[in-house]
Amino acid sequence: MNVNKHAIKLTAAAVAGTFAFYGAFSYWAGIKAEETLAEQHQMIAAMSVFKVKSHQYQRGWFSSQETTELEFNQELLGPYIGLLPENVRPLFQGTIRYHHDVAHGPLPGLLSGHFSPGRARVETTFDMSEGTRKTLQRFFGDAEPITVVNHLGLAGGGELNVAVPKFDYEETLAGVKMTWRGFDLRLNYADGYKEYQAESVSPGFALEAGPKGRFSFDNIRYLSDVRPGNTGVKLGTGELSVANVSLKWNESIPYSIKLNELIHLVSRVRVGEFINPSGEFRPSNVELKNLKYQIVTSEQEEFINTRGKLDFDTFSYNDSVYGPLKLDISANHLHGPTLVKLDQAFTRIPFEEKDPTQLRKRYIEAITKQGLPLLINDPKIMINTFSLRMPTGEAKLDGQIALQGLQESDLKTPLEFIKRFIALLNIELPRQTLENMVVAQARNLFTVDASAEEQPDLGEIDNLAKSLLDAQLSEWESQKLISQQNGQLATRIDFKNGTLLVNSTRVALPWEEDAEEDAPPAASAAQ
């Protein structure tokens, strides 16, 4: 009996100790989970695509609740929302309200059947407006449109899993069919979200829009492995592969795209108002096969080296087929601390509803104030490989462009600044491609408004452009500046110390020609 009583006491003590440990650990884990989720919220709040409407966090002993309400930045996304189908626009015009149900403790997923140890398990649910919910139910039915589970590890960091289920959707009267084959994302991250490995997979999507056309893609996969460098620059690798993208569209689609804003959304790089195309997508048949992209960034002391590769097998546009493409470019000896300062300076520049002229001025000021160490530390861009097979031949380019020995005082003298450049380039281009470009440019110069009564003869314009190009190429060939063989044009450019050689032939630069013209006759004769 005494033995049994002693065993009972020991068992009771063990149970009490276990509960005490579990409770104490859960309380501590709840504090740490709140810190981690606060960092996550700050990252979301910093994204330009969203604005935070409200945010609350209620921490308990064994569980906590976090509620956040976001709305899309209409100043940023407004021009693009108008391009979407009417039944999809409500998704971007309302608010997004989500709850984090946070269970913390040594086994945070125990009650839901998950036995992995950790600080917390966070399951996210989304509250949506009635209109948004009805719109999504048309696609996903009763299934949750998105599932998000965040497992916070014992040592900090954790694993985030995001899944979007498959769906098939059809509007019989309109002839619209959509097949979405799902999406999965797994993100393993270290404490502070500064180091992470990500893998996302989207097996495919197909849209048949009745008589308008068809769009589809297959097997998009993205991998990344990122870690912080000593200079503050993010190091690691990123890889993207796309098996196939196909567009067959039977209608013209007008477009006006603010690429500067889109680039910032996906890369945080602000490029000002420099590239904002507008025009019209004409009826076309486009297909891209086996696209691959890879970027690797490394660090050597305080300098950054990065290398990017882009390949695809074929790109078909109507009856024209391009590819394969191989592009391999390196940027070396970039001053890491300066890159960080420039990124911070660009991030502080607002661009919503700002005058393009003022934006350019702000960017130039930031580069002038922060960018000097990037220029004086001998940066180099290497074009390791560029080759593209085109219907008219193959375009090739390799070489390097670099700054060497630049001093701050050189910036005050344009000629001295130019002399610090080094450019060594081998160029090969199909003659027919160059001719097509010249003819297109000539048409733009001479073609008047289509409503005018008298229109120029396009045949005459084409013949004139071809004749001028032929005369110019013949002159360059006689001067040994280019070579022509089998329909290909080739040349080599060497620029160093302010001296330009084209195909090993010295070519006078504008300032050298001016100096010769201004020289007195005696000096010219002596030369």
Side-chain angles (χ1 to χ4, degrees):
M1 293 292 295
N2 291 335
V3 174
N4 290 337
K5 288 182 180 180
H6 184 65
I8 292 173
K9 290 180 180 180
L10 289 176
T11 301
V15 172
T18 299
F19 274 108
F21 167 77
Y22 198 98
F25 187 94
S26 297
Y27 187 82
W28 171 84
I31 296 174
K32 293 299 180 181
E34 184 177 2
E35 294 175 357
T36 301
L37 293 174
E39 293 177 353
Q40 176 182 300
H41 175 73
Q42 290 172 2
M43 293 170 62
I44 294 175
M47 297 174 64
S48 301
V49 69
F50 294 119
K51 289 185 178 180
V52 178
K53 192 172 182 180
S54 64
H55 177 251
Q56 295 178 343
Y57 196 98
Q58 297 177 328
R59 178 165 55 85
W61 198 293
F62 296 98
S63 64
S64 303
Q65 301 289 325
E66 181 180 18
T67 302
T68 303
E69 189 170 9
L70 305 173
E71 58 184 3
F72 287 100
N73 186 346
Q74 298 298 316
E75 294 178 353
L76 190 62
L77 299 179
Y80 312 109
I81 293 175
L83 300 176
L84 298 174
E86 291 186 7
N87 58 350
V88 178
R89 293 176 194 172
L91 298 177
F92 296 90
Q93 294 173 334
T95 61
I96 300 175
R97 181 183 174 91
Y98 60 85
H99 298 281
H100 286 332
D101 294 313
V102 187
H104 29 86
L107 297 172
L110 182 63
L111 297 179
S112 56
H114 300 275
F115 303 101
S116 299
R119 292 181 179 180
R121 178 180 173 86
V122 184
E123 296 186 0
T124 302
T125 56
F126 291 85
D127 290 340
M128 304 173 190
S129 66
E130 189 64 26
T132 300
R133 177 68 68 179
K134 287 182 177 179
T135 299
L136 291 175
Q137 282 181 341
R138 298 174 68 178
F139 301 101
F140 296 99
D142 294 331
E144 283 296 321
I146 182 171
T147 302
V148 182
V149 178
N150 192 1
H151 183 87
L152 308 186
L154 290 171
E159 180 177 289
L160 176 70
N161 288 276
V162 180
V164 178
K166 304 176 183 179
F167 70 75
D168 290 301
Y169 174 77
E170 182 174 1
E171 291 184 5
T172 305
L173 295 179
V176 175
K177 294 182 180 180
M178 280 194 287
T179 300
W180 167 252
R181 291 158 57 190
F183 170 82
D184 289 286
L185 166 67
R186 184 177 73 252
L187 176 68
N188 290 294
Y189 58 90
D191 192 22
Y193 296 96
K194 295 180 179 179
E195 182 175 345
Y196 58 87
Q197 298 83 41
E199 178 180 8
S200 66
V201 178
S202 183
F205 172 74
L207 165 65
E208 294 184 12
K212 293 184 178 181
R214 187 179 189 277
F215 169 76
S216 67
F217 67 76
D218 295 302
N219 295 326
I220 296 180
R221 181 172 182 173
Y222 176 74
L223 300 171
S224 67
D225 187 347
V226 177
R227 64 187 185 280
N230 294 326
T231 62
V233 175
K234 293 180 180 179
L235 311 176
T237 61
E239 299 179 21
L240 172 70
S241 62
V242 183
N244 186 73
V245 179
S246 177
L247 171 67
K248 185 174 182 180
W249 212 251
N250 303 319
E251 295 184 353
S252 296
I253 304 174
Y255 65 86
S256 179
I257 304 174
K258 292 187 176 181
L259 281 182
N260 61 306
E261 297 178 4
L262 291 180
I263 290 173
H264 177 257
L265 286 179
V266 299
S267 66
R268 293 187 66 251
V269 175
R270 298 182 187 271
V271 296
E273 293 281 342
F274 301 107
I275 47 171
N276 294 319
S278 61
E280 184 179 67
F281 291 115
R282 297 180 178 180
S284 56
N285 190 351
V286 182
E287 186 171 22
L288 175 66
K289 292 184 178 180
N290 293 328
L291 172 71
K292 295 180 181 178
Y293 167 78
Q294 181 189 62
I295 186 167
V296 179
T297 304
S298 60
E299 188 177 63
Q300 186 175 7
E301 296 179 348
E302 61 178 1
F303 296 101
I304 302 300
N305 299 319
T306 184
R307 184 169 186 173
K309 296 181 180 181
L310 176 66
D311 305 88
F312 62 71
D313 286 351
T314 58
F315 173 74
S316 305
Y317 180 77
N318 293 337
D319 296 328
S320 300
V321 179
Y322 300 81
L325 166 75
K326 293 187 179 297
L327 175 63
D328 183 345
I329 297 180
S330 302
N332 297 334
H333 216 256
L334 307 179
H335 191 244
T338 301
L339 292 175
V340 174
K341 289 180 180 179
L342 284 173
D343 177 67
Q344 293 171 347
F346 291 162
T347 301
R348 288 192 294 267
I349 299 175
F351 62 87
E352 291 93 343
E353 298 183 353
K354 299 296 181 182
D355 179 63
T357 303
Q358 293 300 318
L359 277 177
R360 294 188 188 100
K361 183 179 179 181
R362 294 282 298 273
Y363 283 115
I364 293 172
E365 287 177 352
I367 293 172
T368 303
K369 293 179 180 179
Q370 305 288 350
L372 180 61
L374 195 66
L375 302 177
I376 65 178
N377 281 286
D378 299 343
K380 181 187 294 186
I381 297 176
M382 302 285 296
I383 305 171
N384 304 307
T385 303
F386 170 74
S387 65
L388 173 62
R389 173 66 62 181
M390 298 184 289
T392 55
E394 186 172 13
K396 296 181 179 180
L397 175 65
D398 65 76
Q400 62 172 285
I401 301 173
L403 273 172
Q404 192 172 74
L406 180 71
Q407 303 297 319
E408 184 175 0
S409 58
D410 296 332
L411 298 177
K412 301 176 182 178
T413 308
L415 184 55
E416 292 301 317
F417 177 68
I418 292 174
K419 287 181 178 180
R420 300 300 183 183
F421 275 93
I422 296 175
L424 307 172
L425 299 171
N426 296 302
I427 304 170
E428 187 173 334
L429 184 70
R431 176 185 171 126
Q432 186 62 51
T433 298
L434 181 60
E435 183 176 290
N436 292 343
M437 294 169 59
V438 171
V439 168
Q441 185 63 29
R443 288 189 176 192
N444 290 335
L445 289 174
F446 292 105
T447 302
V448 296
D449 185 4
S451 62
E453 294 183 3
E454 295 186 8
Q455 294 291 331
D457 189 310
L458 294 181
E460 292 181 359
I461 293 175
D462 294 353
N463 291 332
L464 175 61
K466 292 175 183 178
S467 297
L468 293 174
L469 176 63
D470 186 65
Q472 185 65 72
L473 293 178
S474 297
E475 181 180 351
W476 285 343
E477 188 173 22
S478 66
Q479 296 173 351
K480 298 184 178 180
L481 299 178
I482 63 170
S483 62
Q484 298 191 65
Q485 187 175 4
N486 298 326
Q488 293 284 114
L489 304 174
T491 190
R492 174 179 172 83
I493 295 175
D494 294 83
F495 180 81
K496 190 173 184 179
N497 297 325
T499 300
L500 175 63
L501 300 178
V502 179
N503 252 12
S504 302
T505 301
R506 174 74 182 273
V507 176
L509 294 166
W511 56 85
E512 294 174 320
E513 294 176 350
D514 294 341
E516 291 177 0
E517 293 176 359
D518 295 338
S524 300
Q527 291 176 356

